[in-house]
């Protein structure tokens, strides 16, 4: 593993349940993600995309195999450590934005920083700059409900980046957006990833995502259909 | 809307309800608890009451009338009575007391009931088992043939340590006698305080030295009893006023308890409303899909209402079972209350009757459907185009004028001056006002900007859908307010009774003639005894009490004449109106009267009015000087000075007396000494009397304590379900927070903070609301139904205790969901999988 590798998984297996009803969601996945690289993760529904993101996101543990993110083997992490790790090194973007409706745009973006222990002033300054960067300069005091879907997803991207993560995981980030807004969000993600040397893994069904990523990996029934690196 | 469509949609909704077991169960539990209270209260009070009536009837018989005389009546009157038109049956009865000698352990009084076993067959309802047992053992023959033979309950004999069938020394009005007591297993013999010894008429006459006289005749009369020949001084009355009091109590009890029961249902229904609202949010996608697939709005509405009826019915069934279990516990307390207020009864078995069951199922189901009406309508309005995503709570806030209108309407219900049921409704309406006002109040609080991250998040989450969080706060505040109201009401009442018992027993030793009941109207303390008491060295003064019955309309009240030495010397009287004690004593010396509070209310008289009294020389108008507080006679009485009484009614003798002792005298010892010296009177120290009164009142409150516990439990269930429900709605949000790096501890803090904020707002509203409700209960409902008024006393302790308990429940309500999500993988939370 070189310095450039931000995240790597080896022979990753995840089986849900046991006995005859057990579902093998991931079946021996090897994958590496490098700094500044945006990777599209495609594949039919139920092929294990979300499962893979959860494992990389320290939100779930594999049945076997290893996950290393930002030089850290996730296997040994207890909940406390996993939470801190997510907060410090990971960013998430969800299909349904998942902003906190009661907090303003800036407060939403600042939330991970606040959870990480930053003072309100620090967190808000950082958040305000990011909000500016995603093109929502004048709207920092608005509530999420006052924004369009595309704008909300840009807020979510800003939120994912506020703690300068090594890896951003996005699960169908354009799934709930029209084509144009989806494209804009993806462009933003790509720009920011390259700017800040962040790796991004984008699970998607949306063909245009390919246009905004460096490479594509395809999952089929829990197995990668392309080699881990290209 | 087609029937088939309705059934299909209902099927889908029920499947969804099954899939979300926890939430469905919560809906049912709210209703169940409410229904359980109704069932428990109805069942236990009815069982206790009907048992009480049976007990009363056993010894008052099923007679329609009783003939009493000024002194025991000759048994020979029977023939004359049987011939009187309208009289279908008559039998002679003796009812008095006998004191059984326990040697060193003192004496034990029994109620001696003498009957003619042949004549009394239509009247006497001895328990079947006791009759079988007695006839098998030949006890009835012995009853008729053996001198001094009495039947007693085996349990009474065992309690007193008497040998079954042994010869017991006893004291009667004529001196020492002997009885032979045999035991049978009979609850009706054990009933009554003191317990009953059943004897043949002749035996009773001999034991009491009555010759051929009896204390009364029980009659079965068809139509009006006008044609029955009465001798001077005789009166015909309804079977023992005990029976009547049973009716009065049924009224008062039913009102108070059922009011509480329905309150509980209201609270339960509110919890169901809360859950139904939540279900609509949860099912937005589901409903949207159903609408997409062609279910029209009316079908969805119909199915949602049918579903709520199903849940209500299941909840009511649960409540029925729960209520019955509860009733079995409660019946003991109710029996204690009934015993204290209206005569001793044994704890009966709780019996669930069909009417109660039907009522419970009906009320529970209808209340649930009514509560789910608004949520069901918003469910029906779901747009077919709705897709998954952020689901917002249906409906807006209740317009601000609604709580105001409810408050005003509740106030209006207080206006009709004599109604009792309407003020009880006020309590319901005001509770609803509280519930509808809460969302806005909560909005005020959580709409504020705060900067601590967890608090800001909590406020934000609560503010997001105020109609939901607000109704959760309402579900929390309602039972809390109700419990505070009951707590304050009971506390005020008890404090008042304590104070009253201190004031009323101003003297040190109380004297009454033995065998007062034998000579119902004529038992008096002899002038010789009173003189001797006056001269006893320990005695400072003797308060003689003279009584006259004053008919007024349908009923009557009492006029008492007394020198009131204790009041004069010790100021022991609680004056409600008319000035201080010396002023009132001076007024009485001028010949004016004081009236007790219930009488003042009944006749609507007060200082400055006149009271018309029918003395032996015709009617006299006596000015009323003041009103004093008294709980001893609920029909009320008037008090005049002794000379005034003698002038009005003549010397009808002294009923009982109170002795004032010199400073430092030991009342107990004096009472014992006087008992030993004067055999024909009973002496009791104030201490003993006060103890009896307080014990009686504590027993009376036994039932309210149970209710208090139930409503507290309801409040706690309300808190738990309201918060839990809110939480279930926002599980995914916790997943987001966790994904962003919030630790489990932070999530716990958030959940607990939310619960506490909700509880804080609900509590802040519930306390004043509870006090307002307590005021209605204390100052309006109670005064109107019992004629007693007392100031509202808020004891900080119990209220603080309740709030503390609520706080614990709030903490638990925060911790339970935390515990539920603690182990859940973040990914599952995010996708709201459980
Ligand atoms: N918590 C779970 N329990 C059981 N099975 C699951 C769970 N999560 C995902 N699965 C199953 O694992 C497989 C992969 O799911 P997922 O990773 O969500 O696929 P994708 O995101 O590519 O649609 C599917 O068959 C899904 O049903
Ligand atoms: Mg997926």
């Amino acid at each position: 593993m070189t310095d450039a590798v931000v995240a790597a998984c080896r022979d990753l297996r995840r089986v849900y349940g046991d006995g005859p009803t057990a579902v093998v969601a991931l079946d021996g996945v090897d994958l590496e993600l490098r700094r500044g690289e945006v990777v599209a993760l495609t594949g039919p529904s139920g092929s294990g995309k979300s499962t893979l993101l959860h494992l990389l996101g320290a939100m779930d543990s594999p049945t076997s195999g290893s996950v290393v993110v930002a030089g850290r083997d996730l296997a040994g992490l207890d909940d406390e450590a996993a939470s801190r790790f997510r907060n410090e090194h990971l960013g998430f973007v969800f299909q349904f934005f998942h902003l906190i409706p009661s907090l303003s745009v800036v407060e939403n973006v600042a939330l991970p920083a606040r959870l990480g222990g930053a003072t309100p002033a620090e967190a808000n300054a950082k958040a305000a700059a990011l909000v500016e960067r995603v093109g929502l300069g004048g709207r920092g005091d608005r509530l999420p409900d006052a924004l369009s879907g595309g704008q909300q997803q840009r807020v979510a991207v800003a939120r994912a980046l506020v703690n300068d993560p090594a890896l951003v995981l996005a699960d169908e980030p354009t799934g709930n957006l029209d084509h144009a807004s989806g494209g804009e969000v993806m462009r933003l993600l790509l720009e920011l990833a390259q700017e800040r040397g962040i790796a991004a893994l984008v699970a998607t069904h949306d063909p245009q995502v390919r246009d905004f990523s460096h490479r594509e990996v395809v999952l089929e029934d829990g197995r990668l259909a392309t080699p881990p690196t290209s | 809307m087609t029937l088939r469509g309705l059934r299909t949609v209902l099927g889908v909704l029920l499947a969804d309800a099954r899939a979300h077991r926890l939430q469905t169960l919560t809906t049912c539990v709210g209703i169940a608890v409410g229904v359980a209270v109704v069932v428990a209260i109805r069942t236990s009070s009815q069982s206790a009451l009907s048992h009480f009536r049976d007990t009363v009837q056993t010894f008052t018989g099923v007679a329609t009338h009783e003939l009493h005389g000024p002194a025991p009546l000759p048994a020979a009157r029977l023939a004359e009575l049987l011939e009187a038109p309208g009289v279908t049956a008559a039998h002679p009865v003796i009812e008095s007391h006998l004191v059984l000698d326990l040697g060193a352990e003192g004496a034990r009084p029994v109620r001696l009931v003498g009957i003619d076993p042949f004549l009394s067959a239509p009247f006497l309802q001895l328990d079947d088992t006791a009759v079988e047992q007695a006839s098998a053992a030949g006890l009835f023959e012995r009853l008729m043939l053996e001198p001094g033979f009495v039947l007693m309950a085996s349990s009474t004999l065992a309690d007193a340590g008497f040998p079954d069938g042994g010869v017991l020394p006893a004291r009667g009005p004529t001196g020492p006698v002997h009885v032979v007591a045999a035991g049978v297993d009979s609850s009706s013999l054990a009933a009554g305080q003191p317990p009953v010894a059943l004897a043949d008429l002749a035996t009773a006459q001999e034991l009491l030295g009555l010759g051929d006289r009896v204390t009364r005749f029980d009659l079965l009369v068809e139509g009006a009893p006008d044609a029955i020949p009465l001798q001077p001084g005789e009166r015909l009355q309804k079977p023992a006023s005990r029976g009547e009091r049973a009716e009065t109590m049924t009224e008062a009890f039913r009102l108070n308890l059922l009011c509480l029961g329905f309150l509980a249902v209201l609270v339960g229904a509110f919890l169901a409303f809360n859950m139904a609202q939540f279900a609509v949010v949860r099912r937005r996608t589901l409903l949207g899909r159903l609408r997409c697939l062609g279910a029209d709005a009316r079908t969805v509405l119909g199915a949602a209402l049918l579903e709520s009826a199903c849940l209500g019915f299941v909840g009511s069934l649960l409540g029925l079972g729960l209520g019955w279990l509860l009733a079995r516990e409660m019946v003991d307390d109710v029996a204690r209350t009934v015993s204290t207020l209206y005569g001793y009864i044994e704890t009966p078995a709780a019996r669930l009757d069909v009417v109660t069951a039907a009522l419970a199922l009906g009320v529970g189901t209808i209340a649930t459907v009514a509560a789910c009406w608004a949520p069901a309508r918003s469910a029906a309005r779901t747009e077919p185009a709705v897709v998954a995503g952020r689901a917002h709570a249906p409906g807006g806030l209740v317009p601000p004028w609604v709580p105001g209108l409810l408050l005003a309407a509740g106030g209006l219900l207080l206006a009709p001056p004599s109604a009792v049921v309407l003020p009880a409704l006020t309590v319901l309406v005001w509770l609803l006002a509280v519930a509808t006002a809460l969302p806005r109040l909560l909005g005020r609080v959580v709409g504020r900007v705060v900067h601590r991250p967890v608090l800001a998040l909590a406020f934000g989450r609560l503010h997001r859908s105020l109609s939901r969080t607000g109704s959760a706060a309402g579900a929390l505040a309602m039972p809390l307010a109700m419990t505070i109201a009951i707590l304050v009401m009971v506390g005020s009442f008890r404090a008042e009774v304590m104070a009253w018992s201190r004031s009323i027993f101003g003297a040190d030793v109380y004297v009454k003639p033995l065998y007062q009941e034998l000579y119902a109207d004529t038992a008096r303390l002899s002038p010789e005894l009173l003189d001797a008491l006056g001269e006893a060295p320990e005695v400072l003064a003797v308060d003689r009490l003279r009584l006259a019955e004053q008919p007024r309309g349908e009923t009557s009240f009492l006029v008492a004449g007394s020198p009131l030495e204790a009041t004069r010397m010790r100021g022991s009287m609680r004056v409600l109106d008319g000035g201080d004690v010396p002023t009132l004593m001076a007024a009485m010396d001028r010949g004016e009267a004081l009236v007790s509070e219930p009488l003042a209310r009944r006749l609507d008289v007060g200082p400055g009015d006149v009271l018309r009294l029918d003395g032996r020389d015709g009617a006299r108008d006596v000015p009323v000087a003041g009103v004093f507080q008294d709980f001893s006679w609920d029909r009320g009485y008037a008090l005049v000075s002794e000379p005034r009484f003698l002038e009005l009614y003549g010397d009808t003798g002294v009923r009982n007396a109170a002795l004032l002792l010199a400073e430092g005298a030991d009342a107990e010892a004096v009472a014992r000494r006087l008992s030993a010296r004067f055999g024909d009177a009973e002496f009791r120290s104030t201490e003993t009397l006060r103890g009896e009164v307080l014990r009686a009142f504590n027993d009376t409150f036994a039932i309210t304590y149970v209710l208090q516990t139930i409503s507290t439990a309801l409040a706690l269930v309300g808190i738990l379900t309201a918060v839990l429900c809110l939480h279930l709605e926002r599980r995914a949000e916790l997943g987001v927070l966790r994904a962003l790096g919030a630790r489990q501890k932070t999530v716990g803090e958030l959940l607990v903070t939310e619960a506490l904020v909700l509880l804080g707002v609900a509590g802040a509203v519930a306390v004043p609301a509870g006090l307002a409700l307590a005021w209605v209960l204390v100052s309006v409902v109670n005064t109107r139904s019992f004629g007693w008024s007392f100031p509202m006393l808020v004891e900080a302790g119990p209220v603080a205790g309740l709030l503390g308990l609520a706080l614990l429940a709030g903490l638990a309500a925060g911790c339970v969901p935390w515990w539920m999500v603690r182990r859940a993988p973040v990914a599952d939370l995010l996708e709201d999988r459980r």
Side-chain angles (χ1 to χ4, degrees), chain A residues 16 23 25 44-52, chain B residues 828 831 833:
Chain A
Y16 290 111
V23 176
S45 262
S47 56
K49 301 185 294 294
S50 297
T51 303
L52 180 56
Chain B
D828 284 5
E831 302 192 352
R833 262 196 303 251

Side-chain angles (χ1 to χ4, degrees), chain B residues 45-200:
Chain B
S45 64
Q46 251 167 17
S47 299
L49 283 176
S50 68
H51 184 77
F52 172 62
R53 273 207 212 95
D54 292 351
T55 307
V56 167
Q57 280 187 351
T58 305
F59 294 104
T60 59
V62 289
T64 56
H65 292 81
E66 290 177 354
L67 178 70
H68 291 264
L73 303 154
R77 291 282 311 279
L78 181 65
E80 185 194 350
L81 288 170
L82 279 170
E83 273 166 20
V87 175
T88 54
H91 78 154
V93 178
I94 291 171
E95 212 181 319
S96 180
H97 289 78
L98 203 61
V99 182
L100 300 182
D101 240 324
L102 286 178
E105 284 175 54
R108 174 166 301 224
V110 291
R111 207 165 120 213
L112 183 65
V113 176
I115 50 153
D116 183 323
F118 292 117
L119 280 175
S120 298
F123 300 95
L124 185 70
Q125 306 174 325
L126 201 59
D127 342 25
D128 292 346
T129 48
V131 171
E132 271 170 35
Q133 198 190 347
S135 47
L139 294 182
F140 283 128
E141 285 82 358
R142 290 180 69 189
L143 194 67
M144 282 180 287
L145 299 175
E146 198 172 320
F149 188 84
V150 297
L151 274 182
M152 292 179 68
S154 309
S155 57
T156 312
L157 288 177
D159 282 353
F162 296 145
D164 193 342
V167 179
L168 302 168
R171 252 186 305 131
T174 54
V177 289
H178 283 90
V179 298
V180 182
V184 284
D185 296 327
S186 161
S187 64
S188 44
L189 285 182
Q193 193 62 276
V196 172
L198 190 66
D200 175 55

